[in-house]
Amino acid sequence: MESLIGLLVAAPLLGAAVLLLGGRRLDRAGHWFGLAMAAVSFVLAVALFFDLLDRAGEERTLHQHLFSWVPVADFRADVAFQLDQLSMTFVLLITGVGTLIHLYSVGYMEHDERRRRFFGYLNLFLGAMLLLVLADNYLLLYVGWEGVGLASFLLIGFWQHKPSAATAAKKAFVVNRVGDVGLSIAILLMFTTFGSFAFAEVLPNADSASEGTLTGIGLMLLLAACGKSAQVPLQSWLGDAMEGPTPVSALIHAATMVTAGVYLVVRSGAVFDAAPDAQTVVVVVGAVTLLFGAVVGCAKDDIKKALAGSTMSQIGYMMLAAGLGPIGYVFAIMHLVTHGFFKAGLFLGAGSVMHGMNDEVDMRRYGGLRTYMPVTFVTFGLAYLAIIGFPYLSGFFSKDEIIYAGFSKGGTEGWILGGVMLLGAALTAYYMTRIMLMTFFGEKRWQPDANGHEPHPHESPLTMTVPMMVLAGGAVAAGFVFDAGESFVHWLEPVTGLEHGDSPVSHGQVSIAATAVMVLGVAGAWFQYGRRPVPVVAPTGSLLTRAARRDLLQDDFNHAAFVQTGSYLTRGLVYLDHKLVDGVVNGTAASFGGLSGRLRRIQNGFARSYAVSMFGGAAVLVAVTLLMRAV
Amino acid sequence: MSFPLLTATAVAPALGAVVTAAVPAARRTTAKWLAFGFSLLTLALAAAVVLRFDTAPGADRFQLTESRSWIPDFGVRYELGVDGIGVAMIALTAVLIPFLIGAGWNDADPVEGEAPANRRWRPTQGFFALILMVEAMVILSFAATDVFLFYIFFEAMLIPMYFLIGGFGDRAGEQGEEGQARQRSYAAVKFLLYNLAGGLVMLAAVIGLYVATADQLPEGTFSLQAILEARQSGELDFAADTERWLFLGFFLAFAVKAPLWPLHTWLPNAMGESTAPVAVLITAVVDKVGTFAMLRFCLGMFPEASEWATPVVVGLALVSIIYGALLAIGQRDMKRLIAYASISHFGFIVLGVFAMTSQGHGGATLYMINHGIATAALMLVAGFLIARRGSRLIADYGGVQKTAPVLAGTFLIGGLATLSLPGTGPFVSEFLVLVSAFSRWQAVGIIACTGIVLAALYVLLLYQRTMTGPVKAGLEKLPDLRVREIAVVAPLIVLLVFLGVYPKPLTEILDPAVEHTMSDVDRTDPQPQHDVSEVEAAE
C-alpha cells in the first residue's frame, strides 16, 4: 500500500504538467483530464483510508521513502512521505473537495478561453497540497508549502489582465513569504538544535531541547502559519485573494490551503506542548483573528469578501483550539474538516449566484433570488445553518467542542476564551444571516452590469449544482458521523493525543449558551436586514462599520508602515548608489591611479587608450618577469 | 602522458574563436553554426571531464592533472587540475555557452537599411568569436592550479569581455543610437578599469606569494598543490601579517569580480548596456570565477587570514544581499534590475563561502551553478522581450501575457527560480547557505532570511508591471517566443527543475572537494545542541 502514497501526489502533478505543456490541442478535453487526475488521487486516498482502518490505531502510520534529496554532510533532506491519521484526514478532504470543485469548475469556467490552463493550475495546487500534508520532514513540507503558494498566486491572478487581480496575487505571495521566513528560521533552528528536521527525529525528542529554543521554533512556525492561514498580523491578503475565480476561493482560500497553518501547528504539537509561551501566543492570535474576521465579515457588501472574513474568523477558532494543546488538537482538525464542507459549499453557492447575476458580487444588488435559484438556495441554506451552529448540523458539533475546550483551559483564561468564542459565534450568526437575507430574500435590487445587460438569474448547470449538493450533504451529516461513538476523536487521538481539561461548565451548558447567542445573532441580522428593505447604496454607517469595511484599516496600516517607507528607502538607495557608492569608489580609484581621468578621456571616444592601458599592464608583467629573473 | 582533457576542453572554444573569426563577412550564418558547433564540442569535452572525474572516497583531490614547465626560472608551470568544485564550474560554463550563442543568434547582425556610413561595427563573426574566447579563458581559470597561470587567464578574459560589452548592445533605446554607444563605451571602460585595478593588486599579491614561499621552501612556487601540501605538513607557515596582506590582495580582485558591495557599481552598467547573452556571460560565468577563486585560493592558501577577515566579509555579504535586493526593487530598467538581483545573490554565495561549513561550501558552489542557470533563463527571456519592443524600461511594458503567453510563462518561471522557489535548484542552494550562516551565527542567518521576502518583491513587481494588466499601447501585436527562443529557454527550465528535485548527482561530485576545503581551513561543522542520534544511542 505504501507505494500508493507517491502515486497520490504524482497523479495531479502529472495532470498539471500535461495540461500546462500540452498546448492548445488539449483545449477541448483538457478539463476532463484534470478532473480525472483529481478523481484518481481521491480513489487512491479512499483505498489508503480503508487500508489504515484495517490496522490497529497505533499502527496506522505508513512511510514511503522515495529518494535522498539534498545530502550535504550532516544535512540530510529526503523525499519521503508519512501517512498517518492526521495526514489521511487532510488527504481525504483535499482530494474529495478538490475533485468536487474540479467538477464544478467544468461548468463555472465553461466560457473562459483559458480553461485548460485553469485546470492545470488546479491540478498543480492539489499536488502541492498533498505534498505539504504527506511530507515526513519540514523541508519537504516547505516545498509543498510554497507550491500551494505558487498555485494560489497563479489562480488569484488568473484574470491577470485585471490590474486588481495581478496586485492581489502579488500581495498574497509576498505576505506569505514573510511567513516563509518564519518557516525557514524554524527549520534552521531545528537543524542546529536536533541536527535534523524530520518529524520522526524532531518531534519525539522535542522535550530534550531547552524551552527557550522550543519557544523560538514555535513562534517561527506560528509566523509561517499566520501567513498561510491569514491570521493577524499577516491576514491582509485573504480579502484581496477573492479576485480569483470563485472555485479557487472555495478550494484554496476556504477549504484547504488556508487551513495549512492549522495543520502545521497541530503537526508540531510536540514542540508547542513543551513551549507554553508559544502556545499562549497561538491562542491569542486565534482569538484576535476570530473576532477580527467576524467584524470584517459583518461589514462587507461583497459576498465573497464577507465570506473571506468568515473564513479568517473560523480559522481563528481552529488556531485557538490548536493553541490549547492536546485539549484542542482533535477539535481544531474536526472543525477544519466540517468547515471545509460548509465553507466550500457557501463559496460554490456564491459562485453559482454570481454566475447567474452577470458576475455581480455586491449583495446590495441581489435580493429575492431564492425562487430563481432553488438548488443554490437550499444547498447554501444548509451550509449556512451548519456554519452558524444550528443544533445537530456539523458546525454545531465542532464549534461547541472548541468552545468547551476553551472553557476547559480553566481559570480566568478559560472564561475569557469561552466568552470571546461565544461572542464570535453570535457575530457568525449575524453576518451569515445578513448574507442569506441580502442574497436570497427581500426585494429584487438587481442592477444592469457595466455593459448595460440586465441580469437574468437562472439555476446553474448540473456540473455545478451536484458538487454543491454533495457538500451540503457533508455540511449536514459530517457532525453526526464524527460525533457518533466519538469516532473522529478515536481516529485522531493516536497522533495528536487527547486530554480532558477541567471545565467549569458542562457540555450541555456550552451547547445551550452557543445556541442562545446564535439566536441572538440571527435576530439581530433579521432586525436590520430582514424587517426593513436593504438600501442599494450602503449607508455611511458608524465609525466601526466604516473601519470594518476597510478591513479595520489593515491596508492603510501596512501602506504607511511598510509600503511607503520601503518605497522611500529604495528610491533613496538608488540615488545614493549612483551618487555616493559609485562616486566614492571611482574617486578612491582616481586618487590612486588617475582612473577617473582616464575614464573620462576614454569615454570621450579615445578608445585607443584602452589599448595603451592594456599594453601598460603587459609591460608591467614583462618588467616584473625580467626583474624576478634577475633576482 | 595521458590525453590532456582539460587543455582540450579549453582549446576547443579557443580554436572555435579563431575559426569563427576567420569566416568571410558575407557568410554570417556559417559563422554562427561554426561557433555553435564548437560550443557543443566543448560541451562534449566537459561532459567527458565530468565522467572521468572519480568521486570515490580516497580518490585524488585534483584529478585530470597536467603539468608542464613554463618559466622555470621562477617556478611558473602550466599546471591544470580539477577538484569537484572545478568540475562543476566547468560544466556550468560549457552548458551555458551554447544557449547564449543560440539566444544571441541575431544580436550581432548588421542592421538592415542603415546607410553604410552610419552602420556601427557589428561583425557577427567577432561577436561569436569573442564569446568563445571568453569561454576558453574561463575554463582555464577554473582548471589552473598554478597561481600565476590562473592570474593570466583571470586577466586575459577581460579583453574579449571588454569588446563584447563595448561593441554590442541592444538595438535601440530611449537615448538613440549615439547616446547608447556612449553609455556602452562608458560601461565597458568602467568594467575594464575596475577589474584591471583589482587585477593589479592581485598581481602584487601573486608576486608576494612567490617571495613568501621562496622564503620558507627550498624554492619559490606558484603551485597551488605544492602550497597546500606544504601548509598541511607545516613546512610552510606564513607570518600572520604576510598572510593577511596576501589574502587582501587576492580577495580584493575577487571581490571586484564577484562583485561584492561596495565594489559592485560596474555590474549594473555592464549588464544593462550589453546584449542579454553577454549580460548572462558576465554574471553567470565570468563573475563566478571571482567567488570560485575565493573558495579555492583565499580559503585554501590563507585559511588563518580568511578567518581573520570573516567578520568584515560576512558583513559585506549581508549588505550585498539586502542592498542588492532593495536596489533591484527600485530599478526602472529590467536589465539593471536583474543585475542588482545578482549582486544580492553574490552576497549569498560569499556568505556561504565564508561561513566555512560543509553546507556553506557545498551550498555556495551549488548556488553558483543554480544562479547561473536561473539568471540565464530570466535574462535571456528579458532579452527576447527587449528585442521585440526596443526598450529596457519596465514602464514601457504591460499585459504581455495576453499577447505572448509563452514568453510571459517562461519569464515567470525564470523569475520564480530567481526568487528561489522550492522545487527549483536555487532553493536548495540558498537554503544550504542559510543553514551554514545560521549554524555559525544565528543573527546573520536571520538577517539573510529577510532577503527571501525582498526577492519575492523584486521578481513579482517586475512580472506584474511587465506581464499583467491591460495590454500597453504598441504591444498588441507582440509576437510570442519563436522556436529558436523556446529551444534556448526550455532546457534551462528543465535543468532548474531537475536540480531542484534531484541535486544529488551534483552534490556527489562536490562532496569530496567540500571536505578538502573544510580541512584546508581546519574547521568542522557546528554540532547540534542535542544530537538526536546520541540521545537514541544513550537510550
Side-chain angles (χ1 to χ4, degrees):
Chain A
M1 289 311 276
E2 285 86 353
S3 54
L4 292 187
I5 305 174
L7 277 182
L8 187 72
V9 181
L13 287 180
L14 172 74
V18 169
L19 290 174
L20 293 177
L21 301 177
R24 302 227 164 87
R25 272 147 302 175
L26 297 177
D27 274 355
R28 277 183 52 209
H31 45 284
W32 294 115
F33 180 71
L35 173 63
M37 287 298 115
V40 164
S41 55
F42 178 62
V43 170
L44 290 170
V46 171
L48 283 163
F49 177 59
F50 280 107
D51 183 65
L52 286 196
L53 281 185
D54 279 346
R55 298 159 191 256
E58 309 299 330
E59 286 157 20
R60 286 176 177 160
T61 305
L62 303 180
H63 291 279
Q64 186 187 13
H65 185 275
L66 283 185
F67 56 89
S68 164
W69 176 29
V70 193
V72 177
D74 295 332
F75 184 96
R76 309 220 155 257
D78 293 337
V79 174
F81 300 124
Q82 171 182 332
L83 181 76
D84 58 9
Q85 291 93 324
L86 181 59
S87 27
M88 189 74 243
T89 310
F90 270 88
V91 168
L92 285 173
L93 178 74
I94 295 159
T95 54
V97 175
T99 307
L100 288 173
I101 287 174
H102 274 73
L103 177 62
Y104 179 92
S105 305
V106 171
Y108 191 84
M109 300 300 284
E110 192 173 355
H111 306 293
D112 198 302
E113 53 176 354
R114 292 158 74 231
R115 177 163 65 170
R116 168 181 57 85
R117 197 188 282 211
F118 181 81
F119 274 80
Y121 293 161
L122 274 189
N123 269 202
L124 175 67
F125 168 75
L126 275 192
M129 188 74 202
L130 289 169
L131 188 64
L132 194 168
V133 297
L134 285 168
D136 87 338
N137 63 74
Y138 284 95
L139 200 68
L140 188 62
L141 178 147
Y142 195 168
V143 177
W145 189 264
E146 285 255 304
V148 293
L150 169 65
S152 168
F153 167 81
L154 294 168
L155 286 163
I156 295 171
F158 187 71
W159 289 315
Q160 36 179 254
H161 53 274
K162 290 200 304 192
S164 56
T167 308
K170 179 198 69 197
K171 184 176 175 184
F173 197 93
V174 171
V175 174
N176 266 290
R177 273 245 147 171
V178 177
D180 292 347
V181 171
L183 187 54
S184 303
I185 296 176
I187 298 175
L188 297 175
L189 268 170
M190 286 178 203
F191 181 71
T192 52
T193 311
F194 303 103
S196 169
F197 35 78
F199 295 158
E201 305 206 9
V202 172
L203 299 176
N205 300 305
D207 40 14
S208 70
S210 72
E211 190 181 320
T213 310
L214 291 172
T215 307
I217 296 177
L219 290 178
M220 288 298 115
L221 288 173
L222 176 65
L223 182 64
C226 284
K228 199 58 78 190
S229 292
Q231 300 291 292
V232 177
L234 298 179
Q235 79 290 357
S236 67
W237 62 273
L238 185 63
D240 295 331
M242 298 298 123
E243 289 286 343
T246 308
V248 173
S249 314
L251 178 61
I252 302 184
H253 304 120
T256 55
M257 185 194 82
V258 284
T259 59
V262 181
Y263 171 78
L264 187 68
V265 174
V266 174
R267 175 57 82 196
S268 316
V271 171
F272 284 96
D273 291 344
D277 291 343
Q279 276 187 321
T280 308
V281 182
V282 176
V283 168
V284 170
V285 164
V288 169
T289 312
L290 92 84
L291 291 180
F292 188 109
V295 169
V296 170
C298 291
K300 291 285 185 186
D301 290 331
D302 178 323
I303 186 169
K304 287 179 68 182
K305 293 198 171 173
L307 288 174
S310 161
T311 303
M312 268 175 68
S313 170
Q314 297 299 316
I315 298 173
Y317 275 100
M318 301 170 208
M319 203 56 92
L320 195 162
L324 293 173
I327 314 178
Y329 291 140
V330 175
F331 305 112
I333 300 299
M334 183 158 145
H335 194 54
L336 193 153
V337 175
T338 58
H339 175 259
F341 285 121
F342 54 67
K343 186 54 67 61
L346 289 170
F347 266 110
L348 293 190
S352 174
V353 169
M354 288 161 56
H355 202 62
M357 293 290 285
N358 297 344
D359 288 327
E360 179 64 72
V361 289
D362 186 350
M363 292 189 289
R364 294 187 182 274
R365 298 173 171 202
Y366 291 166
L369 289 173
R370 66 183 181 284
T371 48
Y372 295 87
M373 303 179 164
V375 181
T376 306
F377 169 63
V378 172
T379 53
F380 194 93
L382 288 172
Y384 155 77
L385 291 175
I387 190 177
I388 66 171
F390 193 82
Y392 302 105
L393 299 189
S394 60
F396 171 77
F397 291 104
S398 53
K399 199 188 292 175
D400 281 9
E401 289 287 5
I402 293 181
I403 297 175
Y404 180 75
F407 278 113
S408 309
K409 180 86 178 156
T412 327
E413 270 173 284
W415 284 102
I416 294 174
L417 293 179
V420 165
M421 285 193 280
L422 284 174
L423 176 60
L427 289 172
T428 308
Y430 176 84
Y431 66 70
M432 283 312 305
T433 310
R434 175 174 174 269
I435 293 174
M436 197 71 195
L437 291 173
M438 285 173 90
T439 306
F440 292 103
F441 293 87
E443 306 278 308
K444 299 172 193 166
R445 302 176 302 273
W446 310 345
Q447 307 283 325
D449 67 8
N451 304 324
H453 297 300
E454 288 290 337
H456 297 285
H458 53 83
E459 191 51 89
S460 298
L462 270 182
T463 47
M464 290 169 67
T465 50
V466 168
M468 285 153 60
M469 291 185 244
V470 177
L471 287 171
V476 170
F480 265 132
V481 177
F482 292 168
D483 195 54
E486 298 209 314
S487 58
F488 196 81
V489 174
H490 291 312
W491 163 250
L492 269 189
E493 198 195 323
V495 186
T496 60
L498 180 68
E499 274 174 23
H500 297 284
D502 185 19
S503 172
V505 292
S506 72
H507 259 110
Q509 285 167 322
V510 168
S511 294
I512 291 167
T515 312
V517 296
M518 177 201 87
V519 172
L520 273 179
V522 172
W526 185 75
F527 272 106
Q528 212 173 342
Y529 297 96
R531 225 171 34 130
R532 306 195 286 245
V534 178
V536 175
V537 178
T540 320
S542 67
L543 206 59
L544 177 65
T545 314
R546 275 180 284 158
R549 274 188 203 136
R550 289 183 71 89
D551 303 286
L552 298 176
L553 308 181
Q554 62 185 17
D555 290 333
D556 306 74
F557 174 79
N558 288 344
H559 191 80
F562 304 114
V563 180
Q564 203 62 41
T565 353
S567 126
Y568 287 135
L569 180 66
T570 54
R571 262 183 281 166
L573 282 178
V574 169
Y575 180 80
L576 284 183
D577 192 57
H578 188 56
K579 295 289 172 199
L580 194 68
V581 181
D582 203 15
V584 167
V585 176
N586 287 349
T588 318
S591 64
F592 277 116
L595 284 183
S596 101
R598 242 187 284 169
L599 196 71
R600 221 170 301 125
R601 200 143 42 88
I602 299 169
Q603 199 188 327
N604 290 341
F606 292 98
R608 265 161 297 165
S609 51
Y610 153 72
V612 175
S613 61
M614 274 318 286
F615 273 121
V620 171
L621 266 179
V622 172
V624 168
T625 314
L626 292 176
L627 203 70
M628 301 295 285
R629 203 181 274 258
V631 174
Chain B
M1 186 149 183
S2 62
F3 180 70
L5 189 55
L6 288 174
T7 302
T9 313
V11 165
L15 186 66
V18 174
V19 172
T20 309
V23 173
R27 310 284 300 271
R28 283 203 317 270
T29 317
T30 317
K32 292 174 184 177
W33 281 107
L34 271 173
F36 186 65
F38 273 99
S39 73
L40 287 184
L41 175 66
T42 314
L43 179 59
L45 288 163
V49 170
V50 174
L51 293 176
R52 287 268 301 277
F53 188 77
D54 184 3
T55 58
D60 287 345
R61 174 173 187 177
F62 290 101
Q63 298 179 22
L64 305 170
T65 47
E66 298 167 29
S67 183
R68 274 163 221 280
S69 175
W70 184 25
I71 313 178
D73 283 329
F74 61 111
V76 175
R77 296 181 68 82
Y78 178 82
E79 268 192 2
L80 301 185
V82 282
D83 59 358
I85 299 174
V87 169
M89 298 313 296
I90 289 175
L92 169 74
T93 309
V95 165
L96 281 180
I97 300 295
F99 292 110
L100 299 186
I101 290 176
W105 204 248
N106 302 324
D107 281 3
D109 287 351
V111 182
E112 275 173 46
E114 216 175 307
N118 292 341
R119 187 177 293 171
R120 288 196 305 100
W121 182 76
R122 280 188 197 275
T124 316
Q125 285 79 349
F127 182 71
F128 293 104
L130 288 169
I131 290 181
L132 288 174
M133 209 49 177
V134 173
E135 182 179 21
M137 295 300 140
V138 170
I139 289 176
L140 285 167
S141 312
F142 287 136
T145 52
D146 183 282
V147 179
F148 193 84
L149 193 67
F150 169 80
Y151 170 76
I152 290 185
F153 299 131
F154 185 80
E155 289 291 86
M157 76 178 81
L158 298 180
I159 304 167
M161 272 323 300
Y162 168 81
F163 287 111
L164 279 172
I165 298 169
F168 307 88
D170 292 319
R171 274 295 144 73
E174 61 278 15
Q175 290 144 326
E177 194 76 357
E178 208 171 305
Q180 196 120 18
R182 204 164 43 235
Q183 292 274 344
R184 200 158 46 229
S185 138
Y186 173 75
V189 171
K190 196 170 175 184
F191 163 83
L192 188 70
L193 292 186
Y194 264 71
N195 282 284
L196 270 183
L200 280 176
V201 178
M202 181 176 158
L203 177 60
V206 169
I207 297 164
L209 179 71
Y210 182 81
V211 174
T213 50
D215 251 6
Q216 300 190 17
L217 300 177
E219 54 182 350
T221 179
F222 287 112
S223 162
L224 178 67
Q225 268 184 296
I227 293 173
L228 291 179
E229 277 163 22
R231 282 212 66 120
Q232 292 279 352
S233 65
E235 231 177 309
L236 181 65
D237 189 13
F238 298 123
D241 273 352
T242 316
E243 182 169 337
R244 287 174 189 178
W245 280 111
L246 292 177
F247 169 85
L248 285 177
F250 280 91
F251 184 78
L252 187 78
F254 304 151
V256 167
K257 188 143 282 187
L260 198 64
W261 188 90
L263 303 170
H264 63 278
T265 50
W266 64 270
L267 185 72
N269 287 78
M271 283 178 70
E273 300 306 327
S274 51
T275 65
V278 173
V280 175
L281 191 66
I282 297 170
T283 187
V285 178
V286 170
D287 286 354
K288 294 294 163 20
V289 181
T291 41
F292 165 83
M294 286 182 196
L295 195 52
R296 173 172 280 181
F297 295 104
C298 285
L299 262 54
M301 297 192 301
F302 318 115
E304 278 145 36
S306 300
E307 213 176 321
W308 162 75
T310 296
V312 175
V313 175
V314 165
L316 292 179
L318 273 187
V319 173
S320 292
I321 292 173
I322 306 292
Y323 186 91
L326 285 174
L327 265 105
I329 295 171
Q331 293 305 310
R332 294 180 301 155
D333 171 323
M334 60 174 101
K335 285 165 90 180
R336 289 178 67 93
L337 187 153
I338 299 172
Y340 278 105
S342 286
I343 291 167
S344 180
H345 289 144
F346 278 111
F348 274 106
I349 298 174
V350 174
L351 182 60
V353 170
F354 278 83
M356 299 193 195
T357 72
S358 308
Q359 290 83 34
H361 291 165
T365 314
L366 280 177
Y367 209 122
M368 292 188 230
I369 291 159
N370 287 319
H371 168 259
I373 303 170
T375 306
L378 184 63
M379 181 58 111
L380 293 179
V381 179
F384 298 150
L385 184 63
I386 290 166
R388 283 164 165 71
R389 171 73 173 77
S391 166
R392 306 197 308 247
L393 289 185
I394 295 168
D396 285 344
Y397 296 89
V400 171
Q401 59 86 23
K402 191 89 179 163
T403 44
V406 178
L407 190 153
T410 48
F411 191 71
L412 180 61
I413 298 175
L416 291 172
T418 302
L419 64 76
S420 300
L421 188 86
T424 62
F427 170 72
V428 175
S429 36
E430 190 162 300
F431 203 83
L432 285 170
V433 169
L434 289 175
V435 165
S436 68
F438 190 85
S439 57
R440 282 271 183 244
W441 321 277
Q442 276 197 1
V444 172
I446 290 170
I447 296 172
C449 268
T450 56
I452 72 176
V453 178
L454 298 176
L457 266 172
Y458 61 69
V459 167
L460 294 185
L461 275 170
L462 173 64
Y463 178 77
Q464 184 190 353
R465 288 175 183 162
T466 52
M467 300 295 162
T468 70
V471 180
K472 202 94 177 183
L475 299 177
E476 296 87 353
K477 295 236 163 63
L478 197 83
D480 210 334
L481 287 191
R482 291 174 241 283
V483 175
R484 169 181 62 87
E485 294 166 331
I486 292 177
V488 165
V489 178
L492 293 176
I493 289 174
V494 171
L495 262 178
L496 282 171
V497 175
F498 180 78
L499 290 177
V501 176
Y502 197 61
K504 210 173 139 196
L506 254 180
T507 58
E508 270 171 3
I509 292 182
L510 296 178
D511 266 346
V514 167
E515 255 174 60
H516 284 297
T517 327
M518 287 295 290
S519 80
D520 285 346
V521 291
D522 196 21
R523 300 290 292 268
T524 50
D525 290 333
Q527 288 305 302
Q529 295 163 9
H530 309 270
D531 198 335
V532 175
S533 51
E534 276 173 27
V535 174
E536 274 163 7
E539 283 164 5

